[in-house]
């Protein structure tokens, strides 16, 4: 049985696990992520790997991190949330452990995890969209992870869906991420609560009357409890998500869209509006099979499980 270690570096915590070929997590650790200090972060990652290696015979290590990674997969070119921009974490961990290390973007890792062991099992062409603060994306086409010519493929969150629309963190305007993400839910909810509408009572109470404290998670939680305003906000995000999926389908023709992240927890409250909008906007919709739109299965483990598998390849 070949075991590998998957490391998923997030903004607030790092997940490290020993993973089997069938995607089972034999052992795992969560350590807090010193996100603003790469030296401490690297030391914490290496210490965690060494603890797990001491008890399990592992053959390789996969490291998943948010950001843009070069085509050679050995450098993080841009990491907006964690102090890893320009970091050579791959070679440093290889040097410290003597094991081969594979570095991959977090959404790509999660897409591979869902493809191998989650909602994408049985399909050769999948698109994962993760609704977190932003909108992450990973793509498997013809059973291969899509990397791109410069390593930066699968940024569906930054497809311009509304010309001259909302300003995005990437420097452009009107990106899909600005309409279908945690940020988008938060912005819609804050605007609605600030309007003073009686329909905003539930959200107003959720944030204790301070709109600056409103989050996308509060919107999802209120919607799941039946709050009509929150359901409408999620439906609007779902609609934009569906428009984005139609654009992706025109280009890539996936068999299935898998929706994960915190926004994915809303399930059909976001997926049903996405399905409707997708069908409305899909090119030649009456003459082709309709891709499925489903929830992710592996939750927060998708990146760790996926990158551990990629490391084995
Ligand atoms: Zn953007």
């Amino acid at each position: 049985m070949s075991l590998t270690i998957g490391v998923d570096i997030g903004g607030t915590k790092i997940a490290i696990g020993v993973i089997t070929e069938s995607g089972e997590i034999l052992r795992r650790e969560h350590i807090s992520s010193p996100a603003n200090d790469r030296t401490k972060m690297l030391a914490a990652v290496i210490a965690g790997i060494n603890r797990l290696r001491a008890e399990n015979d592992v053959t390789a290590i996969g490291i998943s991190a948010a950001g843009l990674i070069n085509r050679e997969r050995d450098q993080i070119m841009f990491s907006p949330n964690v102090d890893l921009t320009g970091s050579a974490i791959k070679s440093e961990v290889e040097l410290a452990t003597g094991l081969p290390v594979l570095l991959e973007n977090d959404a790509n890792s999660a897409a591979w995890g869902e493809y191998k062991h989650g909602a994408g099992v049985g399909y050769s062409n999948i698109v994962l969209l993760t609704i977190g603060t932003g909108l992450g994306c990973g793509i498997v086409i013809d059973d291969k992870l899509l990397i791109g010519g410069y390593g930066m493929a699968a940024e569906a969150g930054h497809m311009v869906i509304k010309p001259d629309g909302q300003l995005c963190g990437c420097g452009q305007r009107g990106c899909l991420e600005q309409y279908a993400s945690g940020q988008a839910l938060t912005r819609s909810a804050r605007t609605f609560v600030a309007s003073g509408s009686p329909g905003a009572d539930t959200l107003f109470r959720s944030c204790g009357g301070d709109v600056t404290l409103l989050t996308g998670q509060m919107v999802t939680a209120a919607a799941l409890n039946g709050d009509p305003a929150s359901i409408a906000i999620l439906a609007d995000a779902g609609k934009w998500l569906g428009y984005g999926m139609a654009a992706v389908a025109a280009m890539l023709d996936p068999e299935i869209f898998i929706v994960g992240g915190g926004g994915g927890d809303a399930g059909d409250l976001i997926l049903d509006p996405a399905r409707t909008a997708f069908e409305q906007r899909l090119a030649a919709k009456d003459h082709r099979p309709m891709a499925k739109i489903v929830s992710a299965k592996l939750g927060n483990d998708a990146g760790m499980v996926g990158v551990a598998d990629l490391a084995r390849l």
Side-chain angles (χ1 to χ4, degrees):
M1 184 173 60
S2 155
L3 301 177
T4 53
I5 285 179
V7 182
D8 188 10
I9 300 178
T12 54
K13 65 184 177 196
I14 300 168
I16 306 186
V18 178
I19 318 290
T20 69
E21 276 177 67
S22 59
E24 191 190 346
I25 302 166
L26 284 190
R27 246 204 86 185
R28 75 163 90 207
E29 286 195 5
H30 287 287
I31 46 187
S32 66
S33 175
N36 298 317
D37 186 332
R38 69 177 63 185
T39 308
K40 280 190 193 157
M41 193 182 338
L42 192 66
V45 166
I46 290 168
I49 290 170
N50 284 335
R51 279 194 298 276
L52 294 183
R53 273 183 82 190
E55 297 168 18
N56 302 275
D57 191 14
V58 300
T59 55
I61 297 163
I63 298 177
S64 155
L68 299 177
I69 300 175
N70 65 347
R71 166 87 198 171
E72 292 71 30
R73 288 332 209 208
D74 57 8
Q75 283 239 343
I76 298 180
M77 310 297 284
F78 178 54
S79 173
N81 301 323
V82 176
D83 174 30
L84 284 174
T85 299
S87 144
I89 187 168
K90 172 185 153 76
S91 55
E92 292 185 45
V93 175
E94 279 180 342
L95 200 65
T97 63
L99 287 172
V101 172
L102 176 132
L103 179 65
E104 189 48 79
N105 165 277
D106 59 346
N108 289 0
S109 299
W112 190 258
E114 292 287 345
Y115 160 76
K116 284 288 291 210
H117 302 298
V121 169
Y123 298 96
S124 293
N125 300 277
I126 73 151
V127 173
L128 173 73
L129 294 163
T130 54
I131 307 173
T133 307
L135 181 67
C137 178
I139 296 170
V140 176
I141 290 292
D142 294 333
D143 299 299
K144 288 199 180 72
L145 186 65
L146 185 69
I147 299 296
Y150 300 101
M152 297 165 195
E155 291 289 342
H158 300 286
M159 294 190 310
V160 174
I161 200 90
K162 191 173 186 183
D164 303 320
Q166 290 281 349
L167 186 63
C168 183
C170 75
Q172 299 299 330
R173 281 188 177 275
C175 294
L176 179 58
E177 177 170 287
Q178 292 306 312
Y179 301 91
S181 68
Q183 290 169 57
L185 295 177
T186 303
R187 188 175 57 236
S188 299
R190 286 179 182 175
T191 304
F192 186 59
V193 171
S195 76
S197 161
D201 283 357
T202 301
L203 285 171
F204 185 82
R205 284 196 303 275
S206 296
C207 63
D210 181 352
V211 290
T212 63
L213 299 178
L214 254 183
T215 63
Q217 289 101 311
M218 290 176 190
V219 178
T220 301
L224 289 169
N225 279 326
D227 175 44
S230 299
I231 290 171
I233 290 168
L234 276 178
D236 190 60
K239 176 190 77 177
W240 285 104
L241 192 67
Y243 291 166
M245 288 170 173
V248 168
M251 186 72 80
L252 296 172
D253 189 28
E255 299 152 88
I256 187 167
F257 288 94
I258 302 169
V259 179
D265 294 346
D268 286 342
L269 289 175
I270 201 159
L271 297 188
D272 276 340
R275 290 176 185 120
T276 302
F278 175 67
E279 290 186 20
Q280 280 171 358
R281 293 290 174 99
L282 184 65
K285 60 183 178 173
D286 296 331
H287 308 284
R288 62 189 294 174
M290 203 62 70
K292 291 183 181 62
I293 297 174
V294 305
S295 295
K297 273 195 183 159
L298 300 186
N300 291 332
D301 294 331
M304 180 177 75
V305 169
V307 83
D309 193 77
L310 285 166
R312 181 178 291 116
L313 297 178

